[in-house]
Amino acid sequence: MAFLGTLCLILVLTTLAGNFANRLGVPAVIGELLIGILIGPAILDWVQLNSLVNLFADIGVVILMFLGGLESNLDLLMKYLRPAIVVATLGVILPITLMGLVSWWWGFSALESLFIGVIFSATSVSISVAVLKEFHALSTREGATILGAAVADDIIGVILLSLMISLLASQGIKAAGSQPNLAVVLIEQVAFFGGTYILVKWVAPYLMHLSERLVMASSVTIMSMVICLGMAWIADIVGLSGAIGAFFAGIAVAHTPYRAVLADHVEPLGNSIFIPVFFVSVGLNMTLDHMAENMGIIVILTILACLTKFLGCGLGAHWCGFDKISSSVIGTGMIARGEMGLITAQIGHQAGLLGNASYSAMILVIVLATVLAPLLLKQALKRMPKAVAANAE
């Protein structure tokens, strides 16, 4: 029962922090993460990670990634396929290459450097959406390209994360004394994504339709959670992160007529309990012991986190026919990091790839880049014509 007191403290503080963050124009997730740092070992040391906090945090990751898949608009990606793919691809290649090289030059191992690049390859589109709505630019060609590219960006990021998990697993097997069977790893990857295609195309629509016919309260929501948790469990069995399975479960359910209903039902479930605990748990893992000695790499990676997305995505947009102002809007709209970066960093930390000092540094870089992103996007949007919303397509 003592955990209930801890849970109450976390929920009260994250709600207040999210409120203040939103009033300041900062994403609520930043406030929640800072609460974890405040009440954790880094500062006050009121709350420590234990089995119950980790359990709620793990469920939070699964629900968060399920919601991410549920909100992914693949139809929008198809409508703006070419610019979205070009923008997303360059926006992934540049962070992995430059941030990976700089990390390697700074002294990280090759595998650590590659993982750091993967951490900063994904975009948090939810932050950009809020700013685009404020400027009535969500339905413009620029806004739609940002959304479509973010969908492709998330899918690429999830695939890269799954490959990194497999690589980490292979490293662990090798350390244990046996040779990793890369062929088996590849077969499992292909089988998982093949099964995901079948789920999206046939299984999920059938199960959701079946659930509607059951005489049971919230049967549709329950079935969606069965698909979510089942996919997370299967992903874990084949050596991937459960978050990856939950993400594709969300995409599968999003292709059914129940998408809006599920968003209304599942999102409150996640945001009221489990997801805040996850973000707090991220902060609880952080310490400030080695912050001073890592300040140099923190500043460099923060600058690169902004520049690589801005230049990579902006260049991709320019190649697809956008003018300089529109390209700058698309570039700044893709800077925001967030959930995916935090999840990736958390997985690397749990796998032992990132030590406490490196993990804390990566979290701080994600926080700084996420805070800067909406500020930069607002400035870019102010340069757009006032009648930008009239250009919607």
Side-chain angles (χ1 to χ4, degrees), residues 18 59 119 190 205 302 354-355:
I59 297 174
I119 289 173
V190 172
T302 300
L354 295 176

Side-chain angles (χ1 to χ4, degrees), residues 276-347:
V277 176
F278 163 65
F279 287 118
V280 167
S281 74
V282 174
L284 293 178
N285 274 306
M286 184 174 175
T287 62
L288 302 178
D289 297 340
H290 306 281
M291 199 60 64
E293 63 192 68
N294 287 320
M295 191 55 64
I297 190 65
I298 289 171
V299 172
I300 291 173
L301 289 183
T302 300
I303 295 172
L304 285 176
C306 296
L307 281 180
T308 51
K309 281 290 185 182
F310 176 74
L311 295 176
C313 297
L315 181 60
H318 186 66
W319 281 356
C320 293
F322 289 91
D323 60 29
K324 290 184 179 180
I325 294 178
S326 296
S327 298
S328 68
V329 169
I330 293 171
T332 52
M334 296 291 289
I335 288 175
R337 305 315 200 274
E339 297 84 0
M340 194 64 198
L342 293 172
I343 291 169
T344 307
Q346 177 85 335
I347 290 171

Side-chain angles (χ1 to χ4, degrees), residues 22 26 41 47 69 75 77 96 108 141 153-154 158 177 192-193 217 254 258 261 263 271 278 330 332 349 366 376-377:
N22 284 327
V26 177
V47 177
D75 291 335
L77 175 61
I96 290 177
F108 290 92
R141 205 160 62 102
D153 192 297
D154 281 347
V158 168
F192 176 79
F193 289 111
Y258 312 98
V261 174
N271 288 333
F278 163 65
I330 293 171
T332 52
H349 180 255
I366 292 171
L376 295 173
L377 180 55

Side-chain angles (χ1 to χ4, degrees), residues 45-57:
D45 200 20
W46 288 352
V47 177
Q48 293 80 34
L49 278 176
N50 55 41
S51 59
L52 284 173
V53 173
N54 276 324
L55 175 61
F56 272 58

Side-chain angles (χ1 to χ4, degrees), residues 150-182:
V151 171
D153 192 297
D154 281 347
I155 293 173
I156 294 171
V158 168
I159 293 172
L160 288 174
L161 177 56
S162 68
L163 293 175
M164 286 298 301
I165 294 296
S166 297
L167 186 57
L168 289 173
S170 298
Q171 292 290 321
I173 294 171
K174 185 180 290 185
S178 59
Q179 294 298 320
N181 193 331
L182 297 180

Side-chain angles (χ1 to χ4, degrees), residues 219-272:
S219 59
V220 171
T221 304
I222 292 171
M223 183 60 74
S224 73
M225 293 310 300
V226 169
I227 295 172
C228 168
L229 299 176
M231 282 290 288
W233 175 61
I234 293 171
D236 184 71
I237 287 177
V238 300
L240 304 177
S241 168
I244 295 168
F247 178 81
F248 283 109
I251 289 179
V253 174
H255 280 72
T256 69
Y258 312 98
R259 174 178 180 174
V261 174
L262 293 174
D264 291 340
H265 288 190
V266 178
E267 190 168 355
L269 172 66
N271 288 333
S272 61

